[in-house]
Amino acid sequence: MRDRDTPLKLVRLWPRMIRGCYEELDILAGAKADETVWWPDYCRLPVNATVTYLQKTGMDWKEASVVASELTACWLWRHSRVVFRFDRSLTEVLAGQAMESDDTDVLPAQLLLHPREPIVYIKAPGLLEQVDGFFYWVDYDIPRKGAALRVQWVQKDMGRSFGQAMHISPGATLRECVWDTIKASRENLGEPAVVELKPVAEMAGPLLSALQLVLYLAAENSEVAEEPGPALPPAQAGRGEKVVSLADQEGEIRAYRVGARIGAAIRRAKRGEPGQEAGDGGRRRPHSRRGHWHHYWTGPRDGERTLILKWTAPTFIHAGGGDEGNVVHFPMGE
């Protein structure tokens, strides 16, 4: 994967704006190891701590509170450098589940507390206009003393980003966490805390769409394949030379393709949806059944148990197979 297809541009920008910022955050994160400060192990560095650091550089609290999540994301990703590139068709199908899927609402929020990496960058073509993708990680909200899901949306030019956060309450479902977050946000703004469906769609729609992709990565049957590393340019490959970049200096980028097979199957299915002549002479339109989630627990009831998440792909009902049509199924990850 080329550097320009990753958020490296944004990562490089911060040291130019604030010299030594990453080194200072390294020291701040190291204070936990020295037991000078404390936060849970699932969090490398709370965004609240980055706010405090930015204030010490002379930035006012309001501005620091806005940009701290971007700086924290860049600092975290600078160490992990993991990119998941989602197939566009799979992205569209998953995003379509965001506001209409009751099975998402009842999922335990704790599914989000164990990501594959401390932070990942998810390339999500078509998910939001003018957005390339988003950083995803689990933060610790110091004032609330609880976990928070962080999504940092990165623009297509990789030069700017904006963040969203969702409170993760112990034992709560995803629906409860989303509504609790919106209520808290309204209360902080001095607005009524009543939550209705339309405000949820307006305020949390992008976040809920991102969650569908995050959940897919957490699913046991997700389709994820590592991408090969970049080849050397022909002119340099013959001399055995290596292209030097920020990625080479601080660790290679690990890139993964997500949903390549199932995305291709979705496109084939959509291209093959003709109409169907019904028995009464009318034309019966083909249709599809939305994909959905299901989860279950494994392990002894009186011992340690594991929560398993699986995604059931959509099925497309085509014409030409009698009254019921032809059901098109999709390949899933091993």
Side-chain angles (χ1 to χ4, degrees):
M1 181 177 290
R2 298 170 299 181
D3 284 6
R4 67 184 182 185
D5 295 326
T6 76
L8 278 171
K9 177 180 178 180
L10 197 60
V11 171
R12 294 183 178 120
L13 183 61
W14 271 98
R16 297 172 189 166
M17 296 189 297
I18 304 178
R19 185 181 298 273
C21 60
Y22 291 147
E23 290 75 13
E24 290 297 325
L25 293 186
D26 286 338
I27 294 172
L28 188 56
K32 172 177 166 55
D34 298 336
E35 299 184 349
T36 306
V37 294
W38 179 91
W39 51 77
D41 290 339
Y42 61 72
C43 177
R44 292 285 182 89
L45 181 68
V47 170
N48 298 119
T50 305
V51 172
T52 300
Y53 159 69
L54 289 173
Q55 287 182 277
K56 291 181 179 179
T57 68
M59 192 177 295
D60 64 66
W61 177 84
K62 185 176 181 180
E63 183 181 1
S65 299
V66 171
V67 303
S69 59
E70 178 180 288
L71 174 55
T72 304
C74 289
W75 174 81
L76 281 169
W77 191 80
R78 176 173 171 263
H79 293 288
S80 67
R81 293 171 177 266
V82 177
V83 176
F84 289 96
R85 189 204 303 261
F86 270 73
D87 177 271
R88 178 181 288 270
S89 296
L90 176 59
T91 297
E92 293 172 352
V93 165
L94 290 170
Q97 299 177 187
M99 292 303 299
E100 300 179 21
S101 184
D102 292 339
D103 54 286
T104 302
D105 291 343
V106 300
L107 290 176
Q110 69 185 79
L111 281 167
L112 304 174
L113 293 178
H114 305 286
R116 292 172 177 246
E117 302 282 343
I119 186 171
V120 300
Y121 182 73
I122 295 177
K123 290 182 71 68
L127 192 59
L128 286 183
E129 187 176 355
Q130 300 302 316
V131 166
D132 177 79
F134 59 91
F135 292 106
Y136 155 67
W137 75 103
V138 179
D139 186 32
Y140 177 67
D141 190 322
I142 294 177
R144 293 185 64 255
K145 295 182 172 59
L149 173 76
R150 289 277 179 176
V151 169
Q152 192 74 22
W153 298 96
V154 180
Q155 292 184 349
K156 285 185 177 179
D157 64 2
M158 302 293 183
R160 297 183 61 185
S161 73
F162 60 94
Q164 290 184 283
M166 183 182 77
H167 304 157
I168 302 178
S169 305
T173 64
L174 289 182
R175 179 186 180 89
E176 291 168 343
C177 290
V178 170
W179 287 39
D180 176 64
T181 301
I182 295 177
K183 286 180 180 179
S185 298
R186 289 186 162 187
E187 289 171 351
N188 290 337
L189 295 172
E191 298 177 356
V194 176
V195 178
E196 299 174 356
L197 183 59
K198 184 177 179 180
V200 168
E202 293 174 350
M203 298 176 67
L207 179 61
L208 293 175
S209 296
L211 280 181
Q212 295 292 324
L213 275 62
V214 170
L215 289 169
Y216 184 82
L217 290 179
E220 187 179 65
N221 60 339
S222 60
E223 181 200 337
V224 180
E226 187 170 3
E227 291 189 4
L232 291 174
Q236 296 191 0
R239 300 196 303 269
E241 297 178 5
K242 185 177 181 181
V243 178
V244 178
S245 69
L246 184 62
D248 296 320
Q249 296 169 5
E250 300 181 2
E252 297 290 347
I253 293 173
R254 288 179 290 154
Y256 299 86
R257 296 181 66 188
V258 182
R261 290 190 304 152
I262 193 170
I266 290 170
R267 288 187 288 277
R268 288 195 300 269
K270 288 184 175 180
R271 287 196 299 267
E273 287 189 344
Q276 179 179 353
E277 296 298 330
D280 59 0
R283 191 171 183 81
R284 180 177 176 181
R285 295 180 61 83
H287 62 283
S288 63
R289 295 170 183 165
R290 191 180 299 277
H292 58 276
W293 303 103
H294 66 97
H295 67 284
Y296 56 90
W297 292 91
T298 62
R301 293 186 178 276
D302 57 349
E304 184 175 351
R305 310 193 75 197
T306 302
L307 181 60
I308 303 297
L309 175 69
K310 288 192 175 184
W311 184 62
T312 299
T315 54
F316 284 81
I317 314 301
H318 286 175
D323 291 338
E324 295 300 322
N326 297 323
V327 180
V328 180
H329 298 278
F330 300 100
M332 292 300 295
E334 301 296 336

